[in-house]
Amino acid sequence: VSTSAAALLSPQAPLLAPMALRGGTDGPMKRVLSHEDLEPELHGQSDTLDARFFAKDKDAAEHRSLWHDLPLFEVDSQTQKPTGAMQFVCEIPKWTRKKYEIATKEPLNPIKQDEKKGQLRSFKKGDIYFNYGCFPRTWEDPDFIHPDVGVGGDNDPLDVCEIGLRQIGTGRVRPVKVLGVLCMVDEGEADWKIIAIDREDAWADQLHDIDDVEKLLPGTLDTIREWFRTYKIPDGKPANEFALGEKFMDRAYALSVVHETHRAWARLVRSNVEESANAAKDEPKEEAKKDDKAAPKKKFTLKRNLSVPAMDALRQVETSMVSDEKALTDALNKAKIDG
């Protein structure tokens, strides 16, 4: 993580209190967010269980959710139209090993270091060879069984491996070009890995599909697959397996995966809104049945235990959701034609 991000607050700065999404009490955001609007802000002491990287809106001086507030597609600040690039949220910079991830269960979804039994986790295998993170407004639905894979998703945003030359800091957002996808099967769940490159990388203009990566950067894809195959072995676990014959699928296939996970995210948000509304209607009934057995957990928010937007938040993202859907459909159709 860049020292400038870490220096924004003192090492002992407290965690943020829970707050409303998208502008707090000041109403909806006045524009569509892009990577240029956000910068990471560290709260808590670095290398502790309390440390969190929040996304700070530089213009509004407020915090945003990297999972829900940031559109999937980059939008031009002048025209407010998608540029064709997707917005990549970096969790783990290349050449580092701390296991950072978006906290999907916490308000505003900051980035935190994963922990197990009170201990911060790092990759025992060593440093990762690429910038690793995810796409906003995507979700790998455990209840969706992909027809080509036969298992459900892993309940997280869609993972992205950015293969550019420069290191991207934790919490930074960059516009990227999608090139392909690999499907790892992790403990019976589909864990898709999108292969992408920073739009401004020196190789970006020469890489258009997954075959270009193999041709111009030989060994890159094999290195990525072998890293994911073996990274759990030092923890005493077996090697990971892959679906689709361990093959890296092309850009068109990758965009179809992005499309499905984006729609799954939209279903997740809408289901949360419906459940919240139904729960509010049922509250008087619940009070009258104190002696009854506890009500079953809701399918998405309680069963999955995810922090997702409520009704007011959904209204504020619907416009860009429509824009994302159109841009993704256009990109998918173009990839099929070019292929």
Side-chain angles (χ1 to χ4, degrees), residues 203-256:
W203 284 101
D205 289 340
Q206 300 181 60
L207 300 178
H208 306 291
D209 213 319
I210 201 68
D211 289 342
D212 296 327
V213 180
E214 188 61 38
K215 178 181 178 181
L216 299 176
L217 301 174
T220 299
L221 300 179
D222 289 339
T223 298
I224 292 173
R225 181 171 49 227
E226 291 312 303
W227 198 93
F228 282 116
R229 189 194 307 277
T230 61
Y231 81 94
K232 288 187 177 181
I233 292 178
D235 293 313
K237 296 182 178 181
N240 281 317
E241 298 180 350
F242 301 89
L244 304 169
E246 301 193 354
K247 182 181 178 181
F248 284 86
M249 308 303 286
D250 63 16
R251 171 177 164 81
Y253 194 102
L255 287 170
S256 72

Side-chain angles (χ1 to χ4, degrees), residues 35-36 74-76 83-86 162 166 174-177 196-205:
H35 67 281
E36 298 174 340
E74 180 196 39
V75 173
D76 184 276
T83 65
M86 293 188 191
E162 193 281 321
R166 69 175 175 180
R174 293 295 305 160
V176 298
K177 177 194 293 186
I197 190 164
D198 191 305
R199 185 185 60 194
E200 298 178 3
D201 190 86
W203 284 101
D205 289 340

Side-chain angles (χ1 to χ4, degrees), residues 87-98:
Q87 304 205 95
F88 163 67
V89 177
C90 188
E91 297 165 313
I92 308 174
K94 66 188 300 184
W95 313 130
T96 69
R97 63 185 67 183
K98 294 177 183 177

Side-chain angles (χ1 to χ4, degrees), residues 1 90-100 122-123 125-132 167-170 227:
V1 177
C90 188
E91 297 165 313
I92 308 174
K94 66 188 300 184
W95 313 130
T96 69
R97 63 185 67 183
K98 294 177 183 177
K99 196 174 184 300
Y100 285 114
S122 295
F123 294 121
K125 176 180 173 67
D127 292 349
I128 200 166
Y129 308 143
F130 41 87
N131 294 302
Y132 190 46
Q167 184 186 63
I168 302 173
T170 297
W227 198 93

Side-chain angles (χ1 to χ4, degrees), residues 255-275:
L255 287 170
S256 72
V257 173
V258 177
H259 200 179
E260 171 52 41
T261 56
H262 179 58
R263 287 179 168 179
W265 171 83
R267 292 194 302 269
L268 172 69
V269 175
R270 292 189 179 107
S271 295
N272 178 56
V273 170
E274 292 169 3
E275 289 168 4

Side-chain angles (χ1 to χ4, degrees), residues 21 33 53 74 82 85 116 136 139 147 173 183 191 201 243 255 257 260 290 317 335 337:
L21 294 176
L33 287 176
F53 288 90
E74 180 196 39
K116 186 174 183 180
W139 180 56
V173 180
C183 184
D191 193 0
D201 190 86
L255 287 170
V257 173
E260 171 52 41
K290 290 183 179 180
V317 301
I337 293 171

